[in-house]
Amino acid sequence: MLRAAITSGEMRPGEHYSAISLSQRLGVSRTPVREALQLLEKEGIVRIEKNRGVRVIQMSLDEIVQIFQIRIILEPPAAARGAEAATDEDLHHIQELHGNILEAAAAGDGPRTLQADKEFHLFLLGLAGNARLTDLDRELRNLVLTRGLVTIPSTRSGQDLADDRREIMEALVRRDSRAVALAVREHVTRTAKLLITGVSANTPGLSADDYLIKIDQLSKHCQ
Amino acid sequence: MLRAAITSGEMRPGEHYSAISLSQRLGVSRTPVREALQLLEKEGIVRIEKNRGVRVIQMSLDEIVQIFQIRIILEPPAAARGAEAATDEDLHHIQELHGNILEAAAAGDGPRTLQADKEFHLFLLGLAGNARLTDLDRELRNLVLTRGLVTIPSTRSGQDLADDRREIMEALVRRDSRAVALAVREHVTRTAKLLITGVSANTPGLSADDYLIKIDQLSKHCQ
DNA sequence: CCCACATGAGTAGCATGCAACCAGTCACAA
DNA sequence: TTGTGACTGGTTGCATGCTACTCATGTGGG
């Protein structure tokens, strides 16, 4: 699909493209391209400028912050509910998923680690029995992935994230939903801060501090 | 737009429609209708069935619960943050919006009350400075409105909702963000339960209890 | 030299033709 | 009577022509 072309970095953010050239490149007509672009615009990945073409949105730090603010609000309670509702089979399966992450990480396979991490979290959220919430979270995750900003985690931070996940797992098997919520929140918050510092480091003249503050501004009210 | 036709009850849920007939009815060609339908499908308002036509989704109680679960998780922290960030002008404006609700309610104008209520809440959420969250909430609100299920609130429950809002306002002017969060949560929860009992009452053989339970199952983990 | 205006290239958006496809119906054979 | 097959009406989805609009460039006048 078109989404793949953008996600895979084929189309660079900020650049202009036309539906005509895209349709030629994909070997289809303008109509389906146009329709796909409208859907992508609704997702916020792309901006259609009237009679001017389409532009892949350069996601700003502000938007990244907004997305993570939402995730930090949503995921902890959902995961906690998931922990309550999980059957023994579910726990078994999630342990497998956790194993997959460790495996991929040990192999140093960044993309696969990311994918496995996503499956792990989405499965956990899915246990809460709210499909719409799960879909929403998936979309939010895709959004940040869209930008090439998959800052490969350093070994140091990668270890922290792994510790977080282990904590989630332990709380899960204890069926301690409150601990699950806290651990998930910690995990997502850490991911957000890593990403923000990473991006701001690559962008000269941009201080991460202002954005790091915002991450907590909203979530502190969840208590 | 097309959305209006569905929302206004022109198109009944569960019924089949074709893009052809819709385009004729709206006096445009099939293409824009088709594109609009795709967007509506992404929002979950409509389901496109291949070579079969399009069907306005009959929103189930399950989905209503899911939507409100999300709203109950999202809105309180956002409103609390909004209370912190609000300027005096903002407070003044929101008082006007609050006045509008009371006015419309006093006039017995149901739709206008609903509209004013929406503006009130969305403005409050907007103060949190997270546009994506505000948009998301707007969409969630539209979803439940989509169904004709705008169960006109009885005078009794309408009074309760008004009391909730007054409580929100008072907490706002006190700049008591914690109280704002609690009041908003109470308000949204009450709205949800009213809707659920209303819908289940109109649907014979459907017990509201199972769904009422679910409303709290997720939100209790927010604390 | 500079500004205003016309002109042209390129675009999105809409209308419409066309093919593939699905569901239900009807006829025919076992 | 029942099961199977083709047929038909209606639909989506894609391709393509056409119009209106936007921006940029170039030209002519001040």
Side-chain angles (χ1 to χ4, degrees), chain A:
Chain A
M1 235 271 236
L2 244 190
R3 169 179 273 111
I6 298 178
T7 310
S8 68
E10 284 281 320
M11 299 172 62
R12 288 205 308 276
E15 205 118 336
H16 269 280
Y17 298 91
S18 76
I20 295 178
S21 59
L22 287 176
S23 63
Q24 287 172 349
R25 214 159 90 185
L26 299 181
V28 293
S29 91
R30 283 150 31 213
T31 308
V33 170
R34 176 181 150 69
E35 290 169 349
L37 287 176
Q38 286 184 338
L39 292 179
L40 291 179
E41 186 188 32
K42 186 166 181 57
E43 286 189 28
I45 295 177
V46 124
R47 172 169 204 133
I48 297 178
E49 300 175 3
K50 204 171 160 72
N51 294 331
R52 287 270 310 159
V54 64
R55 173 199 300 264
V56 179
I57 285 184
Q58 167 74 287
M59 188 171 300
S60 67
L61 262 183
D62 243 323
E63 288 180 86
I64 294 178
V65 167
Q66 289 186 13
I67 291 169
F68 272 100
Q69 280 179 336
I70 299 177
R71 281 186 53 190
I72 293 172
I73 296 174
L74 279 182
E75 293 193 22
R81 173 59 194 158
E84 279 183 358
T87 66
D88 290 339
E89 289 165 79
D90 292 332
L91 283 187
H92 186 70
H93 183 230
I94 209 170
Q95 274 174 324
E96 278 179 17
L97 292 176
H98 185 226
N100 289 347
I101 305 178
L102 298 178
E103 216 172 279
D109 187 341
R112 214 177 97 215
T113 309
L114 224 68
Q115 179 63 28
D117 180 70
K118 199 160 121 186
E119 283 174 16
F120 174 80
H121 284 282
L122 288 179
F123 181 77
L124 176 54
L125 296 186
L127 295 180
N130 188 323
R132 185 174 287 271
L133 196 156
T134 309
D135 285 345
L136 172 57
D137 198 75
R138 178 181 296 115
E139 198 172 293
L140 292 175
R141 283 169 180 267
N142 284 342
L143 270 175
V144 294
L145 252 65
T146 295
R147 186 167 161 175
L149 51 65
V150 187
T151 47
I152 307 296
S154 68
T155 49
R156 170 85 177 76
S157 54
Q159 187 56 48
D160 286 342
L161 292 175
D163 289 345
D164 286 346
R165 277 185 295 255
R166 199 216 313 270
E167 208 171 312
I168 296 174
M169 280 304 309
E170 288 172 1
L172 266 176
V173 297
R174 290 203 316 272
R175 304 265 187 187
D176 184 346
S177 59
R178 175 139 185 77
V180 169
L182 288 175
V184 166
R185 179 169 161 184
E186 184 60 31
H187 182 61
V188 181
T189 303
R190 191 191 302 278
T191 309
K193 294 189 173 175
L194 274 174
L195 211 60
I196 290 171
T197 49
V199 170
S200 72
N202 289 349
T203 319
L206 196 62
S207 163
D209 296 345
D210 305 338
Y211 298 97
L212 290 176
I213 291 172
K214 288 189 187 174
I215 287 293
D216 298 315
Q217 271 179 351
L218 249 163
S219 62
K220 73 178 176 195
H221 295 289
C222 296
Q223 303 168 0

Side-chain angles (χ1 to χ4, degrees), chain B residues 15-88:
Chain B
E15 205 118 337
H16 269 281
Y17 297 91
S18 76
I20 295 178
S21 59
L22 288 175
S23 63
Q24 288 172 348
R25 214 159 91 186
L26 299 181
V28 293
S29 90
R30 283 150 33 215
T31 308
V33 171
R34 174 181 152 71
E35 290 169 350
L37 287 177
Q38 286 185 339
L39 291 180
L40 291 179
E41 186 187 33
K42 183 165 182 60
E43 286 188 28
I45 295 177
V46 123
R47 172 167 203 136
I48 298 178
E49 300 174 3
K50 202 172 161 70
N51 295 331
R52 289 268 310 161
V54 64
R55 172 198 301 266
V56 179
I57 285 185
Q58 168 75 286
M59 189 170 299
S60 68
L61 263 183
D62 243 323
E63 288 179 86
I64 294 178
V65 167
Q66 289 186 12
I67 289 169
F68 272 100
Q69 280 180 336
I70 298 177
R71 281 186 53 190
I72 293 172
I73 296 175
L74 279 182
E75 293 193 23
R81 173 60 194 158
E84 279 183 358
T87 67
D88 289 338

Side-chain angles (χ1 to χ4, degrees), chain B residues 61 64 68 149-162 164 186-202 208 212 215:
Chain B
L61 263 183
I64 294 178
F68 272 100
L149 51 66
V150 187
T151 47
I152 307 296
S154 69
T155 49
R156 169 83 178 76
S157 55
Q159 187 56 49
D160 286 342
L161 292 176
D164 286 346
E186 185 60 31
H187 182 61
V188 181
T189 302
R190 190 191 303 279
T191 309
K193 294 188 173 176
L194 274 174
L195 211 61
I196 291 171
T197 50
V199 170
S200 72
N202 289 348
L212 289 176
I215 286 294

Side-chain angles (χ1 to χ4, degrees), chain B:
Chain B
M1 233 269 238
L2 243 191
R3 168 178 275 111
I6 299 179
T7 309
S8 67
E10 284 279 323
M11 300 172 62
R12 287 205 308 276
E15 205 118 337
H16 269 281
Y17 297 91
S18 76
I20 295 178
S21 59
L22 288 175
S23 63
Q24 288 172 348
R25 214 159 91 186
L26 299 181
V28 293
S29 90
R30 283 150 33 215
T31 308
V33 171
R34 174 181 152 71
E35 290 169 350
L37 287 177
Q38 286 185 339
L39 291 180
L40 291 179
E41 186 187 33
K42 183 165 182 60
E43 286 188 28
I45 295 177
V46 123
R47 172 167 203 136
I48 298 178
E49 300 174 3
K50 202 172 161 70
N51 295 331
R52 289 268 310 161
V54 64
R55 172 198 301 266
V56 179
I57 285 185
Q58 168 75 286
M59 189 170 299
S60 68
L61 263 183
D62 243 323
E63 288 179 86
I64 294 178
V65 167
Q66 289 186 12
I67 289 169
F68 272 100
Q69 280 180 336
I70 298 177
R71 281 186 53 190
I72 293 172
I73 296 175
L74 279 182
E75 293 193 23
R81 173 60 194 158
E84 279 183 358
T87 67
D88 289 338
E89 290 166 79
D90 292 332
L91 283 187
H92 185 72
H93 184 230
I94 210 170
Q95 274 173 325
E96 279 180 17
L97 292 177
H98 185 225
N100 289 347
I101 306 179
L102 298 178
E103 217 172 279
D109 188 342
R112 213 178 97 218
T113 309
L114 224 69
Q115 179 62 28
D117 181 69
K118 199 161 120 185
E119 283 174 16
F120 174 81
H121 284 283
L122 287 179
F123 181 77
L124 175 54
L125 295 186
L127 296 180
N130 187 325
R132 186 173 287 270
L133 196 157
T134 309
D135 286 346
L136 172 58
D137 198 74
R138 178 181 298 115
E139 197 172 294
L140 292 176
R141 282 169 179 267
N142 284 342
L143 270 175
V144 295
L145 253 66
T146 295
R147 186 165 162 175
L149 51 66
V150 187
T151 47
I152 307 296
S154 69
T155 49
R156 169 83 178 76
S157 55
Q159 187 56 49
D160 286 342
L161 292 176
D163 289 345
D164 286 346
R165 277 186 295 256
R166 198 215 311 272
E167 207 172 310
I168 295 174
M169 279 304 310
E170 288 172 0
L172 266 175
V173 298
R174 289 204 316 271
R175 304 264 186 187
D176 184 345
S177 59
R178 176 138 184 78
V180 169
L182 287 176
V184 167
R185 179 169 160 184
E186 185 60 31
H187 182 61
V188 181
T189 302
R190 190 191 303 279
T191 309
K193 294 188 173 176
L194 274 174
L195 211 61
I196 291 171
T197 50
V199 170
S200 72
N202 289 348
T203 319
L206 195 63
S207 162
D209 297 344
D210 303 338
Y211 297 97
L212 289 176
I213 291 173
K214 288 189 187 174
I215 286 294
D216 298 314
Q217 271 178 351
L218 248 164
S219 62
K220 73 178 177 197
H221 295 290
C222 296
Q223 301 168 0

